[in-house]
Amino acid sequence: MDFLRPASWEEALAAKAEHPTAVPIAGGTDVMVEINFDHRRPEYLLDLNRVELLGEWEVGEEDVRLGASVPYTRIMEHLRAELPGLALASHTVASPQIRNRGGVGGNLGTASPAGDAHPALLAAGAEVEVESVRGTRFIPIDAFFTGVKRNALQPDELIKTIHVKKADGPQQYSKVGTRNAMVIAVCAFGIALHPETRTVRTGIGSAAPTPVRAREAEEFLNAALEEGGFWDSGRIITPSIAKQFADLASAACNPIDDVRGTARYRRHAVGIMARRTLGWTWEQYRGGARTLEGAA
Amino acid sequence: MRVNFTVNGRPQQADDVWEGESLLYVLRERLGLPGSKNACEQGECGSCTVRLDGVPVCSCLVAAGQVEGREVVTVEGLAEYARQRAEGGSCASGACGTTLDEAKGWSARGAGPQTGEGAPSPRAALSPVQQAFIDAGAVQCGFCTPGLLVAADEMLERNPSPTDEDIREALSGNLCRCTGYEKILDAVRLAAARQERQGEAV
Amino acid sequence: MTTAQNTRATAPAGTPTKVTQGSQGTKGGIGESTLRPDGILKVTGEFAYSSDMWHEDMLWGQILRSPVAHAEIVSIDTSEALAQAGVYAVLTHDDLPTEVRNYGLEIQDTPVLAHRVVRHHGEPVAVVAADHPETARRAAAKIRVEYRELPVVTDEASALAPDAPVLHPGRDDRPQGPPAGSGPGETPIAGHVPHPNVVHRQPILRGDVGAARARADVIVEGEYTFGMQDQAFLGPESGLAVPAEDGGVDLYVATQWLHSDLRQIAPVLGLPEEKVRMTLSGVGGAFGGREDLSMQIHACLLALRTGKPVKIVYNRFESFFGHVHRHPAKLYYEHGATRDGKLTHMKCRIVLDGGAYASASPSVVGNAASLSAGPYVVDAVDIEAVGLYTNNPPCGAMRGFGAVQACFAYEAQMDKLAAKLDMDPVEFRRLNAMEQGTIMPTGQRVDSPAPVAELLRRVKARPLPPERQWESTEGADVRALPGGLSNTTHGEGVVRGVGYAVGIKNVGFSEGFDDYSTARVRMEVVNGEAVATVHTAMAEVGQGGVTVHAQIARTELGVTQVTIHPADTRVGSAGSTSASRQTYVTGGAVKNSCELVREKVLELGRRRFGTHHPAWAHAELLLEGGKVVTDGGEVLADLVDVLEDETVEVEAEWRHRPTEPFDPRTGQGNGHVQYSFAAHRAVVEVDTELGLVKVVELACAQDVGKALNPLSVIGQIQGGTTQGLGMAVMEEIVVDPRTAKVKNPSFTDYLIPTILDTPTIPVDVLELADEHAPYGLRGVGEAPTLSSTPAVLAAIRNATGLALNRTPVRPEHLTGTA
């Protein structure tokens, strides 16, 4: 095993081009577990801790440009207004120690269906900026996850920046685990209201081979809200609309039975979370979106 | 590979490090600092918590090569770290300005077989949180204790008057199997109260 | 700049140290909450746990484990592994030095390294020693083992099926004395069991169940399932074996019982016991999981083979395969009661899955059977408990064993009966609660206080915690709600429930076992002060025995300064740190040896000063505050002057009252020496839509006889309570029923409670002395683990109205989506 320590982004890209099998390591929260338990012996470890730009973020007009290694703790502390869904999701990640090291880039790199950030990114809308010595690509988050623990990266590419749409409305995030802290998702649900476009987007975690959006649920809800004039009136969403939304969210799942939970439970729980988070965000919207911050 | 970094204010060098080694392994097996504990090696228990450039992290999930040039504080350095913080204000960098001589004097303890009678060396009396853990009965087998102390000390640095729920959240990454946590809560409350009293007295 | 590696001495770093504790300004005797003597070392990181051992030039041991649960080993090829640079030894079964190749706590059925067959997932097959853990891992991976898989036995049906593979053919064990069926025509081989895949069976028959049943106005039945719990101690199995010049070995290890280890290790190594010198290193928790051997023999074998010190440290993944777990169980119960709420009879059948090897299964079966009626008066019983051999992970000792599984079931039955009789569940229990004088199903009379009704009264009388504590002016605090930080509810679907449970646990080793401990106590003058040294082989695993020993010595010898000598095999056996027995038995041994030392000191005093004062001959004399005093308080002499330069030392064994084996057919016998009791009230909030549980409060009342150290007692109760909480809502080793392979051997998927899952645990301590026990004390550690789980389950049933016949209860069980 070789340990590569690039001092800059350019050096990191060059190293990845030279050693496409190199495993990037930043927070170490996935890679080191695999090494400690002898599940993985990469030929090269590519340490990204020295690449400063990966730890930086910038709040722009339209979006937040989030460095791949910005720790979850920073997102919780500094980006609650701009990225409330992701801040809430960050708060559910593992433990304080892990949140101090891990970041969204690593979550995307591992591309686990249970990754906590994914549903929030799907709901908010995001693009993943990846780069190699060959150039830069912007991969829409909807096209990023290609299979169980697989993503759209080429072997020589590294994740540089996640461009997440700034919240233009309330966002929420819920995750079920069988413990009240430090738990991997049995399933998770993210929702973002986008009043500017009068749309709602969603994300489901750990209930399908990849993180997915509940597209039919979104389409149904977008239509129902539009037809009922809810965006203008700010009326309470009727229980039947909420139920239909929840049922469609459940239907968007394609879960498995595993040691963390049954498929039936996952489908059921996603529906409950969909209904509840819709209720919370809509209440916030009706309340004039006094604050877009989540409870994180 | 060779790794150079600072531990508890003292420059350290580790040689022949296998690239897959964790910071935890280097501390425990190469630098003679086994205070940080190896309970799960998967970031699920917090027993190996150290401060890396001031930030609490699981040292089992930090690759040894990633700490090159950085500052680490372990439970062995916690008392001194807290002392310097109390004297000189915050010390978030982790460097704490320990002189090399001081560091050498400090690190003489714990190397080689212990002969101690349980008494701390006079240079490093216990930090408030360490003392509180003893007084409150928060230590049983003690395997979780080093990680809890580092995490609790850092929380009290950020949040000197925590609510119970704040304490629970800050320590939710540290598993304890013996105590049922109640005495740990007591200890952190006690340390907070004592620090507050100390602060008022100044 | 230095490399610390070079500054290490050649003696193993982390060699346990003497811990001396003075107590300035306080007498520090029994009854006080003196602080732990090892506390400072533990908070500074200097306390040397078994995984902290380090020796110049040491090697690392690595174990190769079976990837399958049941298979024939066709071949093992170690040549490639041995050829690796940095590898010093690779050992398999064929390399064992003597014909003693098995070990075991109660039955010697466990191969040191698998021989021809593996019987469970993770069974050790080969061991490697190398100069770095990674070298050892890579070498282990290069050992070629060819397995031919065999059908797996995973439950009672498959274990007893006509074509079931017999997992231990040719058994000749008799764990319970003479076999039951030693009459003509009955098999003499383990004759007390109906099938060779049954490790042990214990029936208990008492009273006329048929007649009693006929008197019952209501009858309730239940079938309960108890999952496989893990001790999940945090300090991994580990230790260091150092070869000695005399051909022996020095072993530094974390264990619960040094002499039991020694008895099993030495014959395998082919060494006399005196050449295997064991020293207890720091123990990072135990809870029963260190009663069996783990890496001890492997490290010694490698050290003796290579002539170098060998360290072995399991990682967490390996730890799940490296120790036994709590027996999962199926429990079938029937209870009857009269209309006015009196129990008529109880019938039960408890099937405990012991897994591939016996470990403590016979004792677990004995406990389950003898305590299956709970702390209730029930005169007619028909009880059967069996322990199985299967290809599941071996199960053995864990805090409260046997009694824990039974308590979960009989407490569920009590609630069912109360509901059927339309009675308050606590009142129903109190109506049937045992008391001093009650006759147990085994025929044993309870001969010390049994305040079952009072414990229940106390937890019930406690004010309930306020409702909706999660509400604040800024909205819901998710940290106080089901789901916690995961933000699943802001109050939606949340329903509160309250539940009660009470349990009974035996203290000490039972069924005729010669349960003793040994203490060596020395008194001498050091630096002008009379001081004491206490040397026992008691394993301090965190429980605070070392604190209590110093307190006892102060009380008995009137000294301030007490040194606790490291525990090792240079002193007689202390028995196991388990069965809630150490304060009773080794505490009793320390007290006894102190008393013998005191007699010798007084004898010295009489010789020196007897003529000075008549009280030396006639009065009751005590040692207090460094002086010899009369019971009237008159000071006769300073201990310094009595002792001068003499050292008074006594090593003596001490045992509790003998017990008897249970009759193999009727289960009758005075099998236990003491019982302990705890009651819990659980208050939970359940998110009924998502099936998530937040335990809001878990109040406990327990009788401890006498709290030698109140702070430690409360710590034990809170810790035991929390392990019971974990068993109620999250903890379970999941074994695939098709393959008998463990599916969640990690802290990612075997979850134990965090501080956010653990509620306030108010504790009400009763001290009703047991006149048979030292200071009247009652073993504390296990009872709270029993009643905690069923109390939480009862509270969840109360909140949801669901039957919930298994534990742990998972979200899918609460939402109908299992």
Side-chain angles (χ1 to χ4, degrees), chain B residues 29-192:
Chain B
E29 303 294 343
R30 298 190 180 274
L31 302 181
L33 294 168
S36 308
K37 289 289 171 264
N38 56 325
C40 81
E41 295 172 88
Q42 55 181 145
E44 293 276 357
C45 79
S47 306
C48 66
T49 302
V50 301
R51 294 180 73 163
L52 177 61
D53 290 347
V55 176
V57 304
C58 291
S59 60
C60 71
L61 299 187
V62 179
Q66 293 185 295
V67 298
E68 177 69 30
R70 300 176 75 173
E71 310 257 2
V72 172
V73 176
T74 72
V75 70
E76 288 97 337
L78 189 64
E80 183 62 17
Y81 186 84
R83 189 187 65 81
Q84 299 209 11
R85 178 176 57 213
E87 283 175 6
S90 93
C91 176
S93 75
C96 291
T98 313
T99 69
L100 193 54
D101 281 347
E102 281 176 327
K104 278 179 182 160
W106 171 85
S107 68
R109 297 185 308 130
Q114 295 152 3
T115 55
E117 301 287 73
S121 73
R123 188 67 183 77
L126 301 180
S127 70
V129 72
Q130 286 171 317
Q131 188 63 52
F133 265 60
I134 296 177
D135 295 344
V139 179
Q140 287 188 28
C141 91
F143 210 79
C144 67
T145 304
L148 272 161
L149 289 169
V150 173
D153 179 75
E154 191 269 347
M155 178 200 60
L156 289 172
E157 184 179 294
R158 277 186 290 117
N159 180 3
S161 313
T163 64
D164 281 2
E165 293 306 318
D166 291 342
I167 299 172
R168 288 182 194 277
E169 179 173 343
L171 303 184
S172 61
N174 293 80
L175 295 178
C176 169
R177 191 58 159 165
C178 295
T179 65
Y181 302 105
E182 186 101 354
K183 302 285 178 217
I184 291 168
L185 277 163
D186 287 349
V188 178
R189 290 185 201 115
L190 181 62

Side-chain angles (χ1 to χ4, degrees), chain C residues 353-569:
Chain C
D353 182 352
Y357 297 105
S359 181
S361 283
S363 297
V364 177
V365 168
N367 278 4
S370 59
L371 302 170
S372 60
Y376 301 108
V377 179
V378 50
D379 294 327
V381 297
D382 179 349
I383 296 161
E384 181 190 29
V386 296
L388 302 175
Y389 275 131
T390 67
N391 294 114
N392 290 328
C395 289
M398 184 176 170
R399 201 174 195 166
F401 68 53
V404 160
Q405 292 91 336
C407 187
F408 167 67
Y410 62 67
E411 286 302 86
Q413 288 282 103
M414 291 302 118
D415 283 339
K416 277 191 192 174
L417 278 168
K420 202 152 183 178
L421 290 162
D422 200 21
M423 291 179 74
D424 175 85
V426 172
E427 284 317 305
F428 176 75
R429 285 175 171 83
R430 294 186 67 197
L431 205 55
N432 292 286
M434 67 162 56
E435 51 195 21
Q436 187 163 354
T438 294
I439 306 296
M440 296 286 292
T442 54
Q444 184 168 23
R445 185 179 156 273
V446 178
D447 64 359
S448 69
V452 176
E454 173 62 11
L455 294 172
L456 285 162
R457 189 194 66 78
R458 287 186 179 220
V459 290
K460 187 165 189 200
R462 183 178 284 281
L464 283 163
E467 303 260 354
R468 302 170 74 89
Q469 292 184 78
W470 37 267
E471 273 184 336
S472 75
T473 46
E474 290 136 51
D477 185 342
V478 293
R479 297 173 299 189
L481 277 159
L485 291 177
S486 297
N487 189 39
T488 44
T489 177
H490 297 168
E492 298 90 337
V494 175
V495 178
R496 177 173 277 205
V498 180
Y500 296 86
V502 61
I504 177 172
K505 177 71 187 47
N506 58 317
V507 172
F509 280 26
S510 300
E511 300 187 53
F513 188 86
D514 181 19
D515 194 16
Y516 72 95
S517 182
T518 317
R520 186 185 297 160
V521 175
R522 186 171 74 229
M523 201 169 175
E524 65 202 313
V525 175
V526 176
N527 299 327
E529 186 185 353
V531 302
T533 302
V534 177
H535 185 183
T536 73
M538 177 208 66
E540 169 63 45
V541 302
Q543 82 278 21
V546 289
T547 323
V548 166
H549 292 179
Q551 292 178 266
I552 292 172
R554 289 192 200 100
T555 293
E556 299 301 330
L557 298 176
V559 296
T560 303
Q561 194 84 348
V562 180
T563 297
I564 303 297
H565 192 283
D568 55 34
T569 49

Side-chain angles (χ1 to χ4, degrees), chain C residues 40-170:
Chain C
I40 291 173
L41 292 174
K42 284 182 173 176
V43 299
T44 55
E46 291 167 278
F47 188 79
Y49 294 88
S50 53
S51 55
D52 301 340
M53 298 288 139
W54 190 93
H55 199 295
E56 194 76 55
D57 206 23
M58 72 182 187
L59 302 177
W60 289 80
Q62 174 71 37
I63 292 125
L64 178 72
R65 294 173 180 278
S66 170
V68 294
H70 195 202
E72 189 185 323
I73 297 175
V74 178
S75 65
I76 305 181
D77 178 359
T78 61
S79 53
E80 201 183 336
L82 264 169
Q84 300 292 304
V87 172
Y88 285 72
V90 180
L91 305 179
T92 69
H93 185 88
D94 292 339
D95 299 303
L96 296 176
T98 75
E99 289 311 304
V100 181
R101 295 177 171 202
N102 282 2
Y103 67 93
L105 270 184
E106 301 185 16
I107 298 172
Q108 281 66 55
D109 63 355
T110 313
V112 172
L113 291 166
H115 181 48
R116 292 194 192 142
V117 63
V118 290
R119 296 183 182 87
H120 70 90
H121 182 202
E123 178 162 351
V125 173
V127 287
V128 178
D131 57 7
H132 188 282
E134 175 64 3
T135 316
R137 283 189 292 263
R138 297 278 62 78
K142 289 193 168 9
I143 299 172
R144 307 267 169 252
V145 185
E146 191 187 335
Y147 296 99
R148 184 176 301 135
E149 287 206 54
L150 299 169
V152 291
V153 167
T154 59
D155 56 12
E156 188 175 26
S158 57
L160 306 186
D163 59 344
V166 173
L167 297 183
H168 294 272

Side-chain angles (χ1 to χ4, degrees), chain C residues 188-389:
Chain C
I189 307 294
H192 63 294
V193 294
H195 186 284
N197 283 342
V198 175
V199 189
H200 188 58
R201 170 176 182 270
Q202 180 65 63
I204 300 180
L205 301 168
R206 187 170 182 81
D208 184 341
V209 172
R213 194 176 197 277
R215 283 193 293 113
D217 297 309
V218 295
I219 286 178
V220 299
E221 290 176 81
E223 182 181 330
Y224 303 93
T225 303
F226 196 99
M228 187 187 292
Q229 190 178 21
D230 189 66
Q231 296 84 354
F233 44 70
L234 290 192
E237 292 88 342
S238 47
L240 176 71
V242 185
E245 284 183 3
D246 66 353
V249 61
D250 292 283
L251 178 61
Y252 301 84
V253 72
T255 177
Q256 289 176 235
W257 187 358
L258 287 165
H259 287 79
S260 167
D261 286 9
L262 180 60
R263 176 178 55 77
Q264 298 172 75
I265 296 167
V268 175
L269 303 179
L271 291 171
E273 289 190 359
E274 58 273 17
K275 283 201 172 178
V276 181
R277 290 163 292 265
M278 294 184 65
T279 306
L280 185 75
S281 47
V283 184
F287 317 115
R290 297 187 209 269
E291 235 182 22
D292 295 81
L293 296 178
S294 57
M295 46 55 67
Q296 284 93 326
I297 297 177
H298 297 151
C300 290
L301 286 169
L302 290 170
L304 291 168
R305 172 63 75 102
T306 62
K308 285 170 173 287
V310 173
K311 174 172 175 169
I312 295 181
V313 182
Y314 292 178
N315 66 20
R316 182 54 54 182
F317 178 84
E318 187 170 16
S319 178
F320 275 98
F321 296 102
H323 62 257
V324 299
H325 314 295
R326 188 192 291 294
H327 288 69
K330 290 271 187 196
L331 307 98
Y332 311 88
Y333 265 80
E334 176 189 300
H335 277 89
T338 58
R339 206 168 287 111
D340 56 355
K342 282 284 194 183
L343 289 172
T344 53
H345 74 286
M346 184 276 276
K347 295 204 289 186
C348 74
R349 186 155 188 285
I350 300 175
V351 181
L352 298 144
D353 182 352
Y357 297 105
S359 181
S361 283
S363 297
V364 177
V365 168
N367 278 4
S370 59
L371 302 170
S372 60
Y376 301 108
V377 179
V378 50
D379 294 327
V381 297
D382 179 349
I383 296 161
E384 181 190 29
V386 296
L388 302 175
Y389 275 131

